[in-house]
Amino acid sequence: MNCLEERIVKDGIVKEGNVLKVDSFLNHQMDIELFDRMGAEFKARFAEKPINKILTIEASGIGIACVVAQHFHVPVVFAKKSKSINLEGEMLVAEVESFTHKCSNRVIVAKKFLGPDDHVLIIDDFLANGCALQGLIQIVQSAGATVEGIGIAIEKGFQAGGRMIRNLGFQLESLAIVESMDARTGEIVFREQ
Amino acid sequence: MNCLEERIVKDGIVKEGNVLKVDSFLNHQMDIELFDRMGAEFKARFAEKPINKILTIEASGIGIACVVAQHFHVPVVFAKKSKSINLEGEMLVAEVESFTHKCSNRVIVAKKFLGPDDHVLIIDDFLANGCALQGLIQIVQSAGATVEGIGIAIEKGFQAGGRMIRNLGFQLESLAIVESMDARTGEIVFREQ
């Protein structure tokens, strides 16, 4: 097990409905030293890629992306989920719709921060059905930039997002892929990598 | 001028209505190496304080807070602006109302992440009228924790927030305090520190 899987086993809480709560170290309270180790692991997995920018999405992706970025020495851009009053000028917008209302999102990045010269690593905390991620990929491609890879902290391997993204040919690296969880026993099974 | 003031002069854009756009390096695209230098400066200014946690607020405070936290070797908690589906259990909530509808906010932190043993450094990107900051201070105090200091990237010195917070006795350190801006000429005047 890597450091993130160990931490999930130690501090993650499995709830009914396939909910994995990791808010004590990943997406509400954040363990920055864990993020730093995750950054080193992403750097190793994407060592060959000419990454010059990291793209993430508010809010819980931002902290991980910023610490990971220190291993790549590149700036981070975070996509916003709705039109903000301070976003002006031309924008890249992806409308991501889903049958689950939990992930109907408008994903927005100012056009000036992504262009044909950009080689992008997308970073996010969770991947389940992949709605947010599809919006980010769409935005990178509409800017004429290149998706060099996708780094996820925790992937729910029993949902469709990861398979779909890999089938599209992207290098998707998830540090922990949960194959199954049992809310009754608290047991979490990870995919062997 | 310090590194942040220099960067504001170089890349900040003054707009009508006292708007300072710093989205190319601070709150949409983020220059992580700049954040790292800001972290070193905050560490120097709060060197004597027994800080064991950093508190910030989504979304644009998170990146700065996470990089600053590496200088303090402490975890970061970010407050959420509205009730999220994954926040359960007891919560600390501050209702922050204002006559400008732009900053009517509900600020929320799970109770388990702030308690009487916590000595908190609050970090945010902007301070203008101080609405969000008042909510964060209220949350720290309602948890029985101690506000050891407040670190802000850019303070609009011509608005009331900074004076009010300092008058309450808090150590508020803003790396750049804008005294005045001229949208016509683009000139920015900083307060001497």
Side-chain angles (χ1 to χ4, degrees):
Chain A
M1 279 201 283
N2 65 36
C3 60
L4 179 60
E5 290 168 331
E6 282 170 8
R7 188 62 173 274
I8 293 167
V9 167
K10 179 169 167 280
D11 291 326
I13 298 169
V14 183
K15 298 274 186 182
E16 290 296 339
N18 276 326
V19 172
L20 176 60
K21 281 180 69 73
V22 288
D23 61 351
S24 65
F25 59 96
L26 199 78
N27 52 15
H28 185 17
Q29 182 165 257
M30 298 179 285
D31 182 334
I32 307 303
E33 286 171 20
L34 174 66
F35 288 7
D36 190 46
R37 291 194 292 277
M38 290 162 55
E41 179 64 26
F42 283 131
K43 178 65 184 168
R45 295 195 190 193
F46 295 106
E48 306 304 317
K49 296 296 183 83
I51 290 157
N52 68 349
K53 196 162 282 188
I54 286 177
L55 177 67
T56 187
I57 186 163
E58 65 179 8
S60 45
I62 298 174
I64 299 169
C66 286
V67 176
V68 169
Q70 295 184 307
H71 292 265
F72 290 87
H73 304 286
V74 300
V76 174
V77 173
F78 71 88
K80 310 199 178 195
K81 279 179 184 163
S82 64
K83 188 160 169 25
S84 154
I85 193 167
N86 272 336
L87 271 179
E88 55 176 39
E90 284 190 281
M91 283 180 270
L92 303 159
V93 180
E95 304 279 353
V96 181
E97 290 191 76
S98 163
F99 51 88
T100 68
H101 67 276
K102 282 183 196 171
C103 79
S104 165
N105 266 325
R106 198 175 178 198
V107 180
I108 304 170
V109 172
K111 209 166 191 171
K112 60 184 170 182
F113 300 134
L114 276 180
D117 293 337
D118 285 322
H119 294 261
V120 179
L121 173 63
I122 297 174
I123 293 283
D124 207 0
D125 58 338
F126 262 98
L127 170 59
N129 53 29
C131 293
L133 196 47
Q134 288 164 57
L136 294 176
I137 291 170
Q138 194 181 319
I139 276 180
V140 173
Q141 295 181 332
S142 69
T146 307
V147 177
E148 292 290 350
I150 299 160
I152 300 291
I154 303 176
E155 176 182 337
K156 288 180 169 173
F158 50 86
Q159 289 192 240
R163 187 184 322 115
M164 191 193 55
I165 300 288
R166 290 186 182 92
N167 283 344
L168 289 170
F170 294 105
Q171 183 184 349
L172 165 61
E173 300 285 345
S174 300
L175 299 187
I177 303 177
V178 176
E179 285 291 17
S180 65
M181 306 187 284
D182 187 327
R184 201 175 43 81
T185 62
E187 193 192 21
I188 300 167
V189 178
F190 296 104
R191 185 181 301 172
E192 293 280 346
Q193 296 199 57
Chain B
M1 278 201 286
N2 64 36
C3 61
L4 180 59
E5 290 168 330
E6 282 170 8
R7 188 61 174 273
I8 293 167
V9 168
K10 180 169 166 280
D11 291 327
I13 298 168
V14 183
K15 298 274 185 183
E16 290 297 338
N18 276 326
V19 171
L20 176 60
K21 281 181 69 72
V22 289
D23 60 352
S24 65
F25 59 95
L26 199 78
N27 52 17
H28 185 16
Q29 182 165 257
M30 300 178 286
D31 181 335
I32 306 305
E33 285 169 23
L34 174 67
F35 289 7
D36 189 47
R37 291 194 292 276
M38 291 163 54
E41 180 64 27
F42 282 130
K43 178 64 185 169
R45 296 194 188 193
F46 295 107
E48 307 303 317
K49 296 297 183 80
I51 290 157
N52 69 350
K53 196 162 282 188
I54 286 178
L55 177 67
T56 187
I57 184 164
E58 65 178 6
S60 44
I62 298 175
I64 300 169
C66 286
V67 176
V68 169
Q70 294 183 307
H71 292 265
F72 290 86
H73 304 286
V74 300
V76 174
V77 174
F78 71 88
K80 310 201 178 194
K81 280 179 182 161
S82 65
K83 188 156 171 29
S84 153
I85 193 168
N86 271 336
L87 271 179
E88 56 177 35
E90 283 190 283
M91 284 180 270
L92 303 159
V93 181
E95 304 278 354
V96 180
E97 290 192 75
S98 162
F99 51 87
T100 67
H101 66 276
K102 282 185 196 171
C103 79
S104 165
N105 266 327
R106 197 174 179 199
V107 180
I108 305 170
V109 173
K111 208 167 193 169
K112 60 185 170 180
F113 299 133
L114 277 179
D117 293 337
D118 284 321
H119 294 261
V120 178
L121 173 63
I122 296 174
I123 293 283
D124 207 0
D125 59 339
F126 262 97
L127 170 59
N129 53 29
C131 294
L133 196 48
Q134 289 165 57
L136 293 176
I137 291 170
Q138 194 182 318
I139 276 179
V140 173
Q141 295 181 332
S142 69
T146 306
V147 176
E148 293 289 350
I150 300 160
I152 300 291
I154 304 176
E155 177 181 338
K156 288 180 170 173
F158 50 86
Q159 288 191 240
R163 187 185 321 114
M164 192 193 57
I165 300 289
R166 291 186 181 93
N167 282 344
L168 290 169
F170 294 105
Q171 183 184 350
L172 165 61
E173 301 285 346
S174 300
L175 299 187
I177 304 178
V178 177
E179 285 292 17
S180 65
M181 305 188 284
D182 187 327
R184 201 176 42 82
T185 63
E187 194 192 22
I188 301 167
V189 178
F190 296 105
R191 186 180 301 173
E192 293 279 346
Q193 295 199 58

